[in-house]
Amino acid sequence: MTFFRKLLLLLAVLAGNLCYAQIVVTYPVPRIVVQRNNSNQALLYVTGRVSQPADRMEIRFIPRAGEGGTAIDWTLLQNQPTGGIFYGAVTVTGGRYDLEIRAIKNNAVSGAVTRVEKVGVGEVFLIAGHSNAAGGYSPTIDYAYGDQYKDRVNTIHVGDYYGTWDKYWNSGDPSFLPSFQPTQLCDTCGIAPGVSMRWFWGRTGELIVKNLNVPVLFYSSAFGGTNIEQLYKSAYDIPFDHGFVKYEYRFPYTHIRAAIKKYIPFTGLRAVLCGHGVNDRNNYGQDFKFQYEKVIDKSREETGYPDLAWMVATECYINGECWGQWAPGSSVERHITRAQDELVAQKPEVYKGAQLNLILNDGRNEDALHFNQTGQSKAAEYWRQAVMSENNPSKNFLTSSKPLMAKVQPPVIPAFNIASVQSGDWDNAATWDCKCIPSYASTVTVSAGHTVAIDGNVFARNIINRGKVEYKTKAVVQLSQ
């Protein structure tokens, strides 16, 4: 092929790239589960970028077969999107969907229809507790029903411990946690922010999906070897010594704080599922209750939601026993169980969790404490019973609790005139004077002496090149002018 013919071919490819229109949905993402309200609905926010001018954006929701939900045909998401950014919200019924979004110009579809698969409206939980909530003392049990329900059980996988997750453990900085990219809770998956394995929570989620026919997503702040006293002290900056828990980074409470800051705004939250007690056996019952209440209060303060629900497991047995004093000088009684029962009875928005004291030694390892596989199976079932209020029918959890709903902020509309301030990648906000990523409405200037690299889909109204634009293998430039 001659040089001239190669040049013509390259120009043809670039011309196609420049003319092609595209919609990119930035939220929701595949496999998200957004917390539903008690009417089995959620206001689902949708935002993203559109490369072509549009009079309006339309959206529809297609229920996935056998996964609940109610179809929504093409409906208005937003009129007159500005600056290449669209944003709107639709009320969606509990279930799982594939959503499609399109741009309309002059009453005709403009460009391609974009699809986001496995978008869920269901139940979201944050796990808390010690090693029996975190796992690792027996092989993790499998899902009970094969492939029938497990695809609807989701999490944020923590990934390789020796990567950035290790940096999180050695700093408490949530920026080192995985980004918000949900995945199915797989055989080798951990549960962000704090747990490296699935444990019995996969089975728990599966049972809840089977009962409710909505998807489930778990976060976990469980931390083996800890108790309520340490959780309380780390939440309120009260120093303590521990062989491996790093108070200086405010563990173990840092896991709860990280989930609140990094993930829960995207999904909302039904409740915290907490299994503490066995490591608090030497604490006074009244102190255990006080510390538990203060942890609950702190979580409500940091979410800005005073009605955040907690489920408190009945949990403290070793060898079927758990005795101690309620207060100094008092007689011996089942002090931890009393505290847990009083929390459920007296603290607003606290519900009866799993009755884990029913797991006797046949469900535990030789230490009579940690769950074996039989114990895991029972724990999964007892947590299902708690969520379904089968263990406390007088106080129905799913109809009485007041879930925290997702809060997705409207996007910032990028500046219309943007210039590079340094060499760098197009998709790096630090490259541009606006500290943003250009949109289809932006006139973009690559300043003299700067090299801007493009590797993927990028958007602009037009490009004024006074420096150098470097096109990588996957470069697709989409201009609206």
Side-chain angles (χ1 to χ4, degrees):
M1 184 181 293
T2 66
F3 172 78
F4 180 69
R5 293 184 66 186
K6 289 181 181 179
L7 180 60
L8 286 177
L9 178 61
L10 177 61
L11 290 173
V13 170
L14 288 176
N17 287 345
L18 291 171
C19 295
Y20 183 71
Q22 186 177 4
I23 298 167
V24 176
V25 178
T26 55
Y27 179 93
V29 296
R31 285 197 169 275
I32 191 173
V33 179
V34 176
Q35 178 61 50
R36 61 181 183 158
N37 62 22
N38 292 351
S39 298
N40 191 34
Q41 294 180 325
L43 188 64
L44 182 63
Y45 293 88
V46 182
T47 187
R49 305 189 304 272
V50 56
S51 64
Q52 68 270 31
D55 297 327
R56 66 183 185 272
M57 303 298 295
E58 293 183 344
I59 192 168
R60 70 175 176 177
F61 292 83
I62 305 166
R64 294 176 63 85
E67 298 185 8
T70 302
I72 300 175
D73 204 355
W74 290 110
T75 189
L76 177 68
L77 179 67
Q78 184 185 23
N79 276 316
Q80 302 297 329
T82 303
I85 302 294
F86 60 85
Y87 178 80
V90 180
T91 298
V92 184
T93 301
R96 199 159 69 150
Y97 303 83
D98 297 332
L99 73 80
E100 293 183 339
I101 189 164
R102 65 188 184 184
I104 304 295
K105 182 69 176 177
N106 298 324
N107 292 318
V109 177
S110 175
V113 174
T114 292
R115 186 180 183 95
V116 182
E117 296 186 342
K118 299 184 178 181
V119 173
V121 174
E123 296 295 334
V124 183
F125 300 103
L126 172 61
I127 302 158
H130 59 86
S131 50
N132 272 342
Y137 289 85
S138 61
T140 295
I141 58 171
D142 204 352
Y143 288 93
Y145 294 93
D147 294 335
Q148 188 172 1
Y149 304 107
K150 71 178 185 180
D151 191 64
R152 285 183 276 171
V153 183
N154 305 276
T155 191
I156 307 295
H157 177 35
V158 293
D160 181 7
Y161 177 86
Y162 296 101
T164 56
W165 197 46
D166 182 51
K167 296 178 181 178
Y168 163 71
W169 280 92
N170 287 289
S171 67
D173 183 350
S175 68
F176 290 118
L177 287 168
S179 61
F180 186 75
Q181 295 178 321
T183 183
Q184 192 267 337
L185 184 47
C186 66
D187 293 347
T188 59
C189 287
I191 309 176
V195 172
S196 62
M197 65 190 64
R198 185 182 67 206
W199 199 224
F200 64 76
W201 296 105
R203 176 80 63 87
T204 304
E206 175 189 43
L207 297 175
I208 294 171
V209 170
K210 181 176 183 290
N211 276 199
L212 300 177
N213 200 28
V214 296
V216 169
L217 187 145
F218 287 114
Y219 306 115
S220 183
S221 64
F223 200 131
T226 66
N227 60 21
I228 276 290
E229 181 178 2
Q230 292 147 3
L231 194 60
Y232 157 69
K233 287 183 174 180
S234 59
Y236 288 90
D237 301 328
I238 303 170
F240 64 88
D241 293 322
H242 193 288
F244 56 84
V245 178
K246 296 180 178 179
Y247 165 77
E248 62 266 35
Y249 306 131
R250 299 305 184 268
F251 288 111
Y253 185 82
T254 285
H255 286 331
I256 293 178
R257 182 172 287 134
I260 289 171
K261 289 182 176 181
K262 193 173 182 78
Y263 301 127
I264 290 172
F266 290 110
T267 60
L269 186 70
R270 170 66 74 172
V272 180
L273 311 182
C274 190
H276 268 301
V278 73
N279 291 338
D280 298 273
R281 293 156 56 88
N282 295 326
N283 202 350
Y284 291 116
Q286 66 175 14
D287 293 344
F288 173 81
K289 180 184 175 185
F290 168 80
Q291 292 158 0
Y292 216 136
E293 287 185 302
K294 295 300 288 184
V295 170
I296 293 171
D297 291 343
K298 178 61 73 171
S299 71
R300 292 172 175 174
E301 173 192 328
E302 295 194 352
T303 56
Y305 191 61
D307 291 324
L308 181 66
W310 278 63
M311 300 198 85
V312 173
T314 306
E315 198 269 5
C316 79
Y317 278 8
I318 296 178
N319 274 322
E321 299 292 346
C322 181
W323 298 89
Q325 292 178 298
W326 181 255
S330 66
S331 59
V332 173
E333 59 177 304
R334 297 187 187 278
H335 61 314
I336 298 299
T337 303
R338 173 183 165 184
Q340 291 160 342
D341 289 343
E342 288 189 4
L343 283 166
V344 173
Q346 299 170 6
K347 182 79 171 172
E349 294 305 317
V350 174
Y351 297 81
K352 192 174 185 65
Q355 294 177 291
L356 301 179
N357 282 348
L358 295 178
I359 302 175
L360 302 179
N361 284 357
D362 66 328
R364 300 177 186 261
N365 293 333
E366 292 181 359
D367 60 10
L369 190 162
H370 294 105
F371 298 151
N372 58 26
Q373 289 190 310
T374 298
Q376 289 183 60
S377 297
K378 292 182 177 181
E381 169 59 16
Y382 294 153
W383 274 114
R384 183 204 67 81
Q385 291 177 10
V387 170
M388 301 305 298
S389 298
E390 293 176 11
N391 64 347
N392 190 23
S394 64
K395 191 177 182 181
N396 188 286
F397 169 64
L398 289 175
T399 59
S400 299
S401 60
K402 302 168 185 175
L404 172 63
M405 308 305 285
K407 298 177 181 178
V408 180
Q409 298 298 319
V412 176
I413 305 301
F416 287 92
N417 295 298
I418 297 174
S420 65
V421 293
Q422 63 182 36
S423 295
D425 293 334
W426 182 287
D427 283 334
N428 183 354
T431 303
W432 310 105
D433 57 3
C434 63
K435 303 301 180 186
C436 65
I437 308 299
S439 77
Y440 88 85
S442 305
T443 295
V444 179
T445 300
V446 178
S447 303
H450 294 165
T451 299
V452 174
I454 298 174
D455 190 11
N457 296 322
V458 302
F459 308 86
R461 184 170 184 270
N462 61 4
I463 299 174
I464 301 170
N465 187 8
R466 294 174 178 158
K468 178 181 179 183
V469 178
E470 182 179 347
Y471 296 93
K472 302 287 189 179
T473 305
K474 298 179 181 179
V476 178
V477 181
Q478 301 178 38
L479 300 183
S480 60
Q481 188 179 65

